[in-house]
PDB file of all heavy atoms in Angstrom:
ATOM      1  N   VAL T   1     110.288 121.927  91.600  1.00 89.00           N
ATOM      2  CA  VAL T   1     110.733 120.766  90.827  1.00 89.00           C
ATOM      3  C   VAL T   1     111.619 121.203  89.671  1.00 89.00           C
ATOM      4  O   VAL T   1     112.677 120.616  89.415  1.00 89.00           O
ATOM      5  CB  VAL T   1     109.521 119.967  90.305  1.00 89.00           C
ATOM      6  CG1 VAL T   1     109.973 118.856  89.360  1.00 89.00           C
ATOM      7  CG2 VAL T   1     108.743 119.373  91.472  1.00 89.00           C
ATOM      8  N   GLU T   2     111.204 122.248  88.960  1.00 87.00           N
ATOM      9  CA  GLU T   2     111.989 122.725  87.818  1.00 87.00           C
ATOM     10  C   GLU T   2     113.365 123.217  88.239  1.00 87.00           C
ATOM     11  O   GLU T   2     114.348 123.045  87.515  1.00 87.00           O
ATOM     12  CB  GLU T   2     111.231 123.834  87.091  1.00 87.00           C
ATOM     13  CG  GLU T   2     110.043 123.338  86.282  1.00 87.00           C
ATOM     14  CD  GLU T   2     109.499 124.391  85.348  1.00 87.00           C
ATOM     15  OE1 GLU T   2     108.643 125.179  85.794  1.00 87.00           O
ATOM     16  OE2 GLU T   2     109.915 124.428  84.179  1.00 87.00           O
ATOM     17  N   GLU T   3     113.449 123.843  89.414  1.00 87.00           N
ATOM     18  CA  GLU T   3     114.707 124.413  89.872  1.00 87.00           C
ATOM     19  C   GLU T   3     115.634 123.372  90.490  1.00 87.00           C
ATOM     20  O   GLU T   3     116.860 123.497  90.400  1.00 87.00           O
ATOM     21  CB  GLU T   3     114.435 125.522  90.904  1.00 87.00           C
ATOM     22  CG  GLU T   3     113.824 126.784  90.326  1.00 87.00           C
ATOM     23  CD  GLU T   3     114.765 127.483  89.367  1.00 87.00           C
ATOM     24  OE1 GLU T   3     115.999 127.419  89.581  1.00 87.00           O
ATOM     25  OE2 GLU T   3     114.282 128.087  88.391  1.00 87.00           O
ATOM     26  N   ILE T   4     115.069 122.355  91.112  1.00 88.00           N
ATOM     27  CA  ILE T   4     115.862 121.423  91.907  1.00 88.00           C
ATOM     28  C   ILE T   4     116.123 120.109  91.189  1.00 88.00           C
ATOM     29  O   ILE T   4     117.239 119.583  91.207  1.00 88.00           O
ATOM     30  CB  ILE T   4     115.147 121.122  93.246  1.00 88.00           C
ATOM     31  CG1 ILE T   4     115.010 122.386  94.079  1.00 88.00           C
ATOM     32  CG2 ILE T   4     115.900 120.047  94.026  1.00 88.00           C
ATOM     33  CD1 ILE T   4     114.113 122.206  95.279  1.00 88.00           C
ATOM     34  N   CYS T   5     115.090 119.554  90.549  1.00 90.00           N
ATOM     35  CA  CYS T   5     115.104 118.146  90.153  1.00 90.00           C
ATOM     36  C   CYS T   5     115.522 117.943  88.701  1.00 90.00           C
ATOM     37  O   CYS T   5     115.147 118.708  87.813  1.00 90.00           O
ATOM     38  CB  CYS T   5     113.725 117.531  90.382  1.00 90.00           C
ATOM     39  SG  CYS T   5     113.171 117.661  92.106  1.00 90.00           S
ATOM     40  N   ASP T   6     116.281 116.888  88.492  1.00 88.00           N
ATOM     41  CA  ASP T   6     116.698 116.491  87.150  1.00 88.00           C
ATOM     42  C   ASP T   6     115.743 115.466  86.558  1.00 88.00           C
ATOM     43  O   ASP T   6     115.664 115.320  85.345  1.00 88.00           O
ATOM     44  CB  ASP T   6     118.105 115.891  87.187  1.00 88.00           C
ATOM     45  CG  ASP T   6     119.104 116.832  87.834  1.00 88.00           C
ATOM     46  OD1 ASP T   6     119.364 117.894  87.255  1.00 88.00           O
ATOM     47  OD2 ASP T   6     119.590 116.525  88.934  1.00 88.00           O
ATOM     48  N   GLU T   7     115.046 114.746  87.430  1.00 90.00           N
ATOM     49  CA  GLU T   7     114.096 113.731  86.996  1.00 90.00           C
ATOM     50  C   GLU T   7     112.798 113.875  87.780  1.00 90.00           C
ATOM     51  O   GLU T   7     112.775 114.438  88.871  1.00 90.00           O
ATOM     52  CB  GLU T   7     114.648 112.314  87.195  1.00 90.00           C
ATOM     53  CG  GLU T   7     115.878 111.985  86.386  1.00 90.00           C
ATOM     54  CD  GLU T   7     117.165 112.287  87.127  1.00 90.00           C
ATOM     55  OE1 GLU T   7     117.154 112.353  88.359  1.00 90.00           O
ATOM     56  OE2 GLU T   7     118.191 112.490  86.444  1.00 90.00           O
ATOM     57  N   ILE T   8     111.735 113.314  87.227  1.00 93.00           N
ATOM     58  CA  ILE T   8     110.415 113.403  87.852  1.00 93.00           C
ATOM     59  C   ILE T   8     109.745 112.037  87.814  1.00 93.00           C
ATOM     60  O   ILE T   8     109.852 111.303  86.825  1.00 93.00           O
ATOM     61  CB  ILE T   8     109.518 114.435  87.128  1.00 93.00           C
ATOM     62  CG1 ILE T   8     110.030 115.852  87.384  1.00 93.00           C
ATOM     63  CG2 ILE T   8     108.064 114.322  87.578  1.00 93.00           C
ATOM     64  CD1 ILE T   8     109.258 116.919  86.635  1.00 93.00           C
ATOM     65  N   ILE T   9     109.073 111.718  88.909  1.00 92.00           N
ATOM     66  CA  ILE T   9     108.195 110.555  88.962  1.00 92.00           C
ATOM     67  C   ILE T   9     106.787 111.073  89.262  1.00 92.00           C
ATOM     68  O   ILE T   9     106.590 111.785  90.245  1.00 92.00           O
ATOM     69  CB  ILE T   9     108.622 109.549  90.038  1.00 92.00           C
ATOM     70  CG1 ILE T   9     109.982 108.945  89.691  1.00 92.00           C
ATOM     71  CG2 ILE T   9     107.576 108.445  90.203  1.00 92.00           C
ATOM     72  CD1 ILE T   9     110.564 108.073  90.794  1.00 92.00           C
ATOM     73  N   VAL T  10     105.837 110.746  88.402  1.00 92.00           N
ATOM     74  CA  VAL T  10     104.442 111.106  88.642  1.00 92.00           C
ATOM     75  C   VAL T  10     103.707 109.850  89.086  1.00 92.00           C
ATOM     76  O   VAL T  10     103.705 108.836  88.375  1.00 92.00           O
ATOM     77  CB  VAL T  10     103.771 111.687  87.382  1.00 92.00           C
ATOM     78  CG1 VAL T  10     102.310 112.030  87.669  1.00 92.00           C
ATOM     79  CG2 VAL T  10     104.516 112.938  86.912  1.00 92.00           C
ATOM     80  N   LEU T  11     103.100 109.921  90.262  1.00 91.00           N
ATOM     81  CA  LEU T  11     102.345 108.797  90.802  1.00 91.00           C
ATOM     82  C   LEU T  11     100.851 109.038  90.620  1.00 91.00           C
ATOM     83  O   LEU T  11     100.365 110.162  90.760  1.00 91.00           O
ATOM     84  CB  LEU T  11     102.648 108.599  92.288  1.00 91.00           C
ATOM     85  CG  LEU T  11     104.073 108.181  92.657  1.00 91.00           C
ATOM     86  CD1 LEU T  11     104.229 108.081  94.165  1.00 91.00           C
ATOM     87  CD2 LEU T  11     104.435 106.856  92.008  1.00 91.00           C
ATOM     88  N   ASN T  12     100.136 107.977  90.332  1.00 87.00           N
ATOM     89  CA  ASN T  12      98.683 108.030  90.210  1.00 87.00           C
ATOM     90  C   ASN T  12      98.107 106.739  90.767  1.00 87.00           C
ATOM     91  O   ASN T  12      98.429 105.653  90.290  1.00 87.00           O
ATOM     92  CB  ASN T  12      98.266 108.218  88.750  1.00 87.00           C
ATOM     93  CG  ASN T  12      96.759 108.236  88.585  1.00 87.00           C
ATOM     94  OD1 ASN T  12      96.071 108.945  89.314  1.00 87.00           O
ATOM     95  ND2 ASN T  12      96.246 107.449  87.661  1.00 87.00           N
ATOM     96  N   LYS T  13      97.308 106.862  91.808  1.00 85.00           N
ATOM     97  CA  LYS T  13      96.694 105.699  92.454  1.00 85.00           C
ATOM     98  C   LYS T  13      97.744 104.666  92.863  1.00 85.00           C
ATOM     99  O   LYS T  13      97.549 103.454  92.732  1.00 85.00           O
ATOM    100  CB  LYS T  13      95.659 105.061  91.535  1.00 85.00           C
ATOM    101  CG  LYS T  13      94.500 105.979  91.182  1.00 85.00           C
ATOM    102  CD  LYS T  13      93.512 105.302  90.247  1.00 85.00           C
ATOM    103  CE  LYS T  13      92.384 106.249  89.881  1.00 85.00           C
ATOM    104  NZ  LYS T  13      91.416 105.632  88.936  1.00 85.00           N
ATOM    105  N   GLY T  14      98.879 105.157  93.363  1.00 87.00           N
ATOM    106  CA  GLY T  14      99.913 104.270  93.873  1.00 87.00           C
ATOM    107  C   GLY T  14     100.822 103.659  92.837  1.00 87.00           C
ATOM    108  O   GLY T  14     101.718 102.885  93.183  1.00 87.00           O
ATOM    109  N   LYS T  15     100.625 103.982  91.560  1.00 86.00           N
ATOM    110  CA  LYS T  15     101.455 103.430  90.491  1.00 86.00           C
ATOM    111  C   LYS T  15     102.168 104.555  89.755  1.00 86.00           C
ATOM    112  O   LYS T  15     101.759 105.706  89.797  1.00 86.00           O
ATOM    113  CB  LYS T  15     100.600 102.613  89.515  1.00 86.00           C
ATOM    114  CG  LYS T  15      99.959 101.381  90.148  1.00 86.00           C
ATOM    115  CD  LYS T  15      99.185 100.584  89.118  1.00 86.00           C
ATOM    116  CE  LYS T  15      98.564  99.335  89.740  1.00 86.00           C
ATOM    117  NZ  LYS T  15      97.795  98.532  88.751  1.00 86.00           N
ATOM    118  N   ILE T  16     103.252 104.181  89.077  1.00 87.00           N
ATOM    119  CA  ILE T  16     104.032 105.170  88.337  1.00 87.00           C
ATOM    120  C   ILE T  16     103.343 105.468  87.005  1.00 87.00           C
ATOM    121  O   ILE T  16     103.180 104.585  86.169  1.00 87.00           O
ATOM    122  CB  ILE T  16     105.468 104.678  88.101  1.00 87.00           C
ATOM    123  CG1 ILE T  16     106.202 104.532  89.447  1.00 87.00           C
ATOM    124  CG2 ILE T  16     106.220 105.643  87.190  1.00 87.00           C
ATOM    125  CD1 ILE T  16     107.609 103.985  89.316  1.00 87.00           C
ATOM    126  N   LEU T  17     102.948 106.724  86.824  1.00 87.00           N
ATOM    127  CA  LEU T  17     102.336 107.164  85.576  1.00 87.00           C
ATOM    128  C   LEU T  17     103.386 107.717  84.620  1.00 87.00           C
ATOM    129  O   LEU T  17     103.248 107.627  83.408  1.00 87.00           O
ATOM    130  CB  LEU T  17     101.278 108.229  85.874  1.00 87.00           C
ATOM    131  CG  LEU T  17     100.405 108.723  84.723  1.00 87.00           C
ATOM    132  CD1 LEU T  17      99.617 107.572  84.114  1.00 87.00           C
ATOM    133  CD2 LEU T  17      99.460 109.807  85.208  1.00 87.00           C
ATOM    134  N   TYR T  18     104.430 108.309  85.179  1.00 89.00           N
ATOM    135  CA  TYR T  18     105.524 108.846  84.367  1.00 89.00           C
ATOM    136  C   TYR T  18     106.804 108.749  85.161  1.00 89.00           C
ATOM    137  O   TYR T  18     106.824 108.978  86.372  1.00 89.00           O
ATOM    138  CB  TYR T  18     105.253 110.316  84.001  1.00 89.00           C
ATOM    139  CG  TYR T  18     106.425 110.998  83.315  1.00 89.00           C
ATOM    140  CD1 TYR T  18     106.562 110.976  81.935  1.00 89.00           C
ATOM    141  CD2 TYR T  18     107.401 111.657  84.063  1.00 89.00           C
ATOM    142  CE1 TYR T  18     107.632 111.596  81.307  1.00 89.00           C
ATOM    143  CE2 TYR T  18     108.479 112.276  83.447  1.00 89.00           C
ATOM    144  CZ  TYR T  18     108.587 112.242  82.072  1.00 89.00           C
ATOM    145  OH  TYR T  18     109.654 112.841  81.465  1.00 89.00           O
ATOM    146  N   CYS T  19     107.894 108.431  84.481  1.00 87.00           N
ATOM    147  CA  CYS T  19     109.205 108.380  85.110  1.00 87.00           C
ATOM    148  C   CYS T  19     110.229 108.783  84.059  1.00 87.00           C
ATOM    149  O   CYS T  19     110.427 108.074  83.067  1.00 87.00           O
ATOM    150  CB  CYS T  19     109.504 106.978  85.639  1.00 87.00           C
ATOM    151  SG  CYS T  19     111.115 106.806  86.417  1.00 87.00           S
ATOM    152  N   GLY T  20     110.851 109.939  84.232  1.00 86.00           N
ATOM    153  CA  GLY T  20     111.796 110.395  83.231  1.00 86.00           C
ATOM    154  C   GLY T  20     112.359 111.761  83.557  1.00 86.00           C
ATOM    155  O   GLY T  20     112.148 112.293  84.652  1.00 86.00           O
ATOM    156  N   GLU T  21     113.075 112.331  82.601  1.00 87.00           N
ATOM    157  CA  GLU T  21     113.713 113.623  82.820  1.00 87.00           C
ATOM    158  C   GLU T  21     112.680 114.735  82.932  1.00 87.00           C
ATOM    159  O   GLU T  21     111.603 114.679  82.344  1.00 87.00           O
ATOM    160  CB  GLU T  21     114.687 113.920  81.678  1.00 87.00           C
ATOM    161  CG  GLU T  21     115.866 112.961  81.615  1.00 87.00           C
ATOM    162  CD  GLU T  21     116.827 113.308  80.495  1.00 87.00           C
ATOM    163  OE1 GLU T  21     116.545 114.281  79.758  1.00 87.00           O
ATOM    164  OE2 GLU T  21     117.852 112.612  80.357  1.00 87.00           O
ATOM    165  N   THR T  22     113.061 115.776  83.687  1.00 88.00           N
ATOM    166  CA  THR T  22     112.162 116.904  83.903  1.00 88.00           C
ATOM    167  C   THR T  22     111.779 117.562  82.583  1.00 88.00           C
ATOM    168  O   THR T  22     110.600 117.854  82.338  1.00 88.00           O
ATOM    169  CB  THR T  22     112.833 117.934  84.836  1.00 88.00           C
ATOM    170  OG1 THR T  22     113.163 117.291  86.079  1.00 88.00           O
ATOM    171  CG2 THR T  22     111.915 119.108  85.106  1.00 88.00           C
ATOM    172  N   ASN T  23     112.753 117.797  81.714  1.00 87.00           N
ATOM    173  CA  ASN T  23     112.469 118.441  80.436  1.00 87.00           C
ATOM    174  C   ASN T  23     111.574 117.594  79.545  1.00 87.00           C
ATOM    175  O   ASN T  23     110.770 118.125  78.774  1.00 87.00           O
ATOM    176  CB  ASN T  23     113.772 118.765  79.703  1.00 87.00           C
ATOM    177  CG  ASN T  23     114.595 119.818  80.412  1.00 87.00           C
ATOM    178  OD1 ASN T  23     114.058 120.628  81.159  1.00 87.00           O
ATOM    179  ND2 ASN T  23     115.897 119.820  80.179  1.00 87.00           N
ATOM    180  N   ALA T  24     111.697 116.272  79.670  1.00 89.00           N
ATOM    181  CA  ALA T  24     110.876 115.382  78.841  1.00 89.00           C
ATOM    182  C   ALA T  24     109.404 115.470  79.230  1.00 89.00           C
ATOM    183  O   ALA T  24     108.526 115.307  78.378  1.00 89.00           O
ATOM    184  CB  ALA T  24     111.375 113.945  78.958  1.00 89.00           C
ATOM    185  N   LEU T  25     109.125 115.725  80.502  1.00 90.00           N
ATOM    186  CA  LEU T  25     107.738 115.890  80.933  1.00 90.00           C
ATOM    187  C   LEU T  25     107.121 117.125  80.274  1.00 90.00           C
ATOM    188  O   LEU T  25     105.980 117.098  79.814  1.00 90.00           O
ATOM    189  CB  LEU T  25     107.660 116.000  82.456  1.00 90.00           C
ATOM    190  CG  LEU T  25     106.259 116.202  83.048  1.00 90.00           C
ATOM    191  CD1 LEU T  25     105.328 115.058  82.656  1.00 90.00           C
ATOM    192  CD2 LEU T  25     106.337 116.315  84.566  1.00 90.00           C
ATOM    193  N   ALA T  26     107.888 118.206  80.222  1.00 90.00           N
ATOM    194  CA  ALA T  26     107.395 119.421  79.566  1.00 90.00           C
ATOM    195  C   ALA T  26     107.106 119.162  78.087  1.00 90.00           C
ATOM    196  O   ALA T  26     106.142 119.708  77.524  1.00 90.00           O
ATOM    197  CB  ALA T  26     108.412 120.547  79.718  1.00 90.00           C
ATOM    198  N   MET T  27     107.908 118.307  77.440  1.00 90.00           N
ATOM    199  CA  MET T  27     107.748 118.058  76.011  1.00 90.00           C
ATOM    200  C   MET T  27     106.445 117.334  75.677  1.00 90.00           C
ATOM    201  O   MET T  27     106.019 117.335  74.519  1.00 90.00           O
ATOM    202  CB  MET T  27     108.938 117.249  75.488  1.00 90.00           C
ATOM    203  CG  MET T  27     110.259 118.024  75.485  1.00 90.00           C
ATOM    204  SD  MET T  27     110.165 119.516  74.469  1.00 90.00           S
ATOM    205  CE  MET T  27     110.059 118.771  72.841  1.00 90.00           C
ATOM    206  N   LEU T  28     105.805 116.713  76.679  1.00 89.00           N
ATOM    207  CA  LEU T  28     104.521 116.063  76.419  1.00 89.00           C
ATOM    208  C   LEU T  28     103.471 117.070  75.953  1.00 89.00           C
ATOM    209  O   LEU T  28     102.518 116.711  75.260  1.00 89.00           O
ATOM    210  CB  LEU T  28     104.018 115.349  77.683  1.00 89.00           C
ATOM    211  CG  LEU T  28     104.815 114.146  78.170  1.00 89.00           C
ATOM    212  CD1 LEU T  28     104.190 113.579  79.427  1.00 89.00           C
ATOM    213  CD2 LEU T  28     104.885 113.064  77.096  1.00 89.00           C
ATOM    214  N   ALA T  29     103.644 118.336  76.353  1.00 91.00           N
ATOM    215  CA  ALA T  29     102.680 119.379  75.976  1.00 91.00           C
ATOM    216  C   ALA T  29     103.183 120.250  74.827  1.00 91.00           C
ATOM    217  O   ALA T  29     102.616 121.316  74.572  1.00 91.00           O
ATOM    218  CB  ALA T  29     102.360 120.245  77.196  1.00 91.00           C
ATOM    219  N   LYS T  30     104.221 119.817  74.133  1.00 89.00           N
ATOM    220  CA  LYS T  30     104.761 120.596  73.023  1.00 89.00           C
ATOM    221  C   LYS T  30     103.701 120.816  71.946  1.00 89.00           C
ATOM    222  O   LYS T  30     102.953 119.896  71.593  1.00 89.00           O
ATOM    223  CB  LYS T  30     105.968 119.869  72.421  1.00 89.00           C
ATOM    224  CG  LYS T  30     106.663 120.644  71.314  1.00 89.00           C
ATOM    225  CD  LYS T  30     107.862 119.862  70.775  1.00 89.00           C
ATOM    226  CE  LYS T  30     108.546 120.638  69.657  1.00 89.00           C
ATOM    227  NZ  LYS T  30     109.702 119.882  69.099  1.00 89.00           N
ATOM    228  N   ASN T  31     103.627 122.043  71.434  1.00 89.00           N
ATOM    229  CA  ASN T  31     102.663 122.445  70.390  1.00 89.00           C
ATOM    230  C   ASN T  31     101.210 122.370  70.863  1.00 89.00           C
ATOM    231  O   ASN T  31     100.287 122.329  70.042  1.00 89.00           O
ATOM    232  CB  ASN T  31     102.821 121.577  69.127  1.00 89.00           C
ATOM    233  CG  ASN T  31     104.221 121.631  68.547  1.00 89.00           C
ATOM    234  OD1 ASN T  31     104.815 120.610  68.253  1.00 89.00           O
ATOM    235  ND2 ASN T  31     104.758 122.824  68.390  1.00 89.00           N
ATOM    236  N   ARG T  32     101.013 122.377  72.170  1.00 91.00           N
ATOM    237  CA  ARG T  32      99.656 122.319  72.715  1.00 91.00           C
ATOM    238  C   ARG T  32      99.303 123.529  73.588  1.00 91.00           C
ATOM    239  O   ARG T  32      98.172 123.629  74.052  1.00 91.00           O
ATOM    240  CB  ARG T  32      99.470 121.040  73.553  1.00 91.00           C
ATOM    241  CG  ARG T  32      99.562 119.753  72.756  1.00 91.00           C
ATOM    242  CD  ARG T  32      99.403 118.531  73.647  1.00 91.00           C
ATOM    243  NE  ARG T  32      99.436 117.296  72.877  1.00 91.00           N
ATOM    244  CZ  ARG T  32      98.389 116.750  72.273  1.00 91.00           C
ATOM    245  NH1 ARG T  32      97.207 117.343  72.351  1.00 91.00           N
ATOM    246  NH2 ARG T  32      98.493 115.619  71.596  1.00 91.00           N
ATOM    247  N   VAL T  33     100.256 124.414  73.813  1.00 92.00           N
ATOM    248  CA  VAL T  33     100.048 125.520  74.744  1.00 92.00           C
ATOM    249  C   VAL T  33      99.978 126.837  73.979  1.00 92.00           C
ATOM    250  O   VAL T  33     100.878 127.159  73.195  1.00 92.00           O
ATOM    251  CB  VAL T  33     101.176 125.575  75.790  1.00 92.00           C
ATOM    252  CG1 VAL T  33     100.909 126.671  76.814  1.00 92.00           C
ATOM    253  CG2 VAL T  33     101.327 124.220  76.489  1.00 92.00           C
TER     254      VAL T  33
END
């Protein structure tokens, strides 16, 4: 995903949990790792 995709959709129980840029998904864990 990191190498190929510019955007990511995360599905959970058939619904969209996240929809946005690949880098923005990583930023959800900023200052937490």
Side-chain angles (χ1 to χ4, degrees):
V1 173
E2 287 192 273
E3 289 295 327
I4 297 170
C5 302
D6 305 294
E7 297 91 22
I8 290 176
I9 295 173
V10 179
L11 294 178
N12 178 49
K13 298 179 181 178
K15 296 183 179 180
I16 295 177
L17 186 60
Y18 172 90
C19 179
E21 295 182 358
T22 302
N23 293 335
L25 179 59
M27 292 301 291
L28 293 179
K30 184 179 179 181
N31 302 131
R32 295 179 178 275
V33 184

